[in-house]
């Protein structure tokens, strides 16, 4: 068949497959803090599956592990470092309710 007589075909883009962020040797467990902390945002929120590039099963296991680690105090519920720095830098004034004589 001639190229000119072929029906129009949509060009398929070839894309490079990204490697999954969790290797085959990594265990998804609440004790593996170095692995779990990669899937938490700066504010302490669990990142979505689309951002993490995980399978549905892996995302479920990560979510459960993060929640278990938070309950056992291995991970904080919130990351308050920035808020604490800002609160410390604001000078506190002496009581404004003192009466002037």
């Amino acid at each position: 068949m001639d190229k000119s007589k072929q029906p129009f075909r949509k060009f398929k883009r070839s894309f490079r497959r990204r490697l999954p962020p969790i290797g085959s040797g990594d265990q998804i467990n609440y004790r593996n803090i170095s692995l779990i902390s990669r899937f938490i945002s700066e504010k302490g929120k669990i990142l979505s599956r689309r951002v993490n590039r995980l399978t549905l099963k892996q995302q479920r296991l990560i979510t459960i592990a993060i929640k278990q680690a938070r309950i056992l105090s291995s991970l904080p519920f919130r990351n308050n470092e920035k808020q604490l720095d800002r609160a410390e830098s604001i000078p506190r004034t002496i009581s404004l309710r003192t009466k002037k004589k």
Side-chain angles (χ1 to χ4, degrees):
M1 195 177 214
D2 252 354
K3 285 188 177 182
S4 60
K5 294 181 182 179
Q6 285 181 349
F8 178 74
R9 291 185 186 174
K10 202 172 186 180
F11 178 71
K12 290 186 179 181
R13 259 198 285 169
S14 64
F15 61 94
R16 200 175 87 188
R17 236 178 154 187
R18 294 181 183 171
L19 295 173
I22 297 177
S24 59
D26 291 335
Q27 280 189 339
I28 300 174
N29 199 344
Y30 69 92
R31 287 177 268 160
N32 195 351
I33 302 299
S34 60
L35 176 71
I36 290 174
S37 60
R38 288 191 290 178
F39 302 105
I40 299 176
S41 70
E42 291 177 2
K43 293 183 178 181
K45 293 184 177 182
I46 301 172
L47 295 174
S48 70
R49 192 178 144 220
R50 192 180 312 165
V51 174
N52 290 337
R53 301 186 322 259
L54 295 174
T55 63
L56 183 61
K57 190 173 185 178
Q58 287 174 335
Q59 181 69 23
R60 284 185 189 141
L61 291 172
I62 285 288
T63 303
I64 290 168
I66 289 171
K67 289 178 180 180
Q68 286 176 343
R70 284 176 175 168
I71 289 169
L72 294 171
S73 301
S74 301
L75 278 177
F77 279 92
R78 281 198 246 158
N79 191 1
N80 291 333
E81 291 175 12
K82 290 183 181 179
Q83 293 175 356
L84 290 175
D85 291 341
R86 197 182 92 224
E88 290 173 0
S89 65
I90 298 172
R92 292 189 174 203
T93 57
I94 301 173
S95 179
L96 296 174
R97 295 183 184 187
T98 57
K99 293 182 183 179
K100 293 182 181 178
K101 291 183 181 179

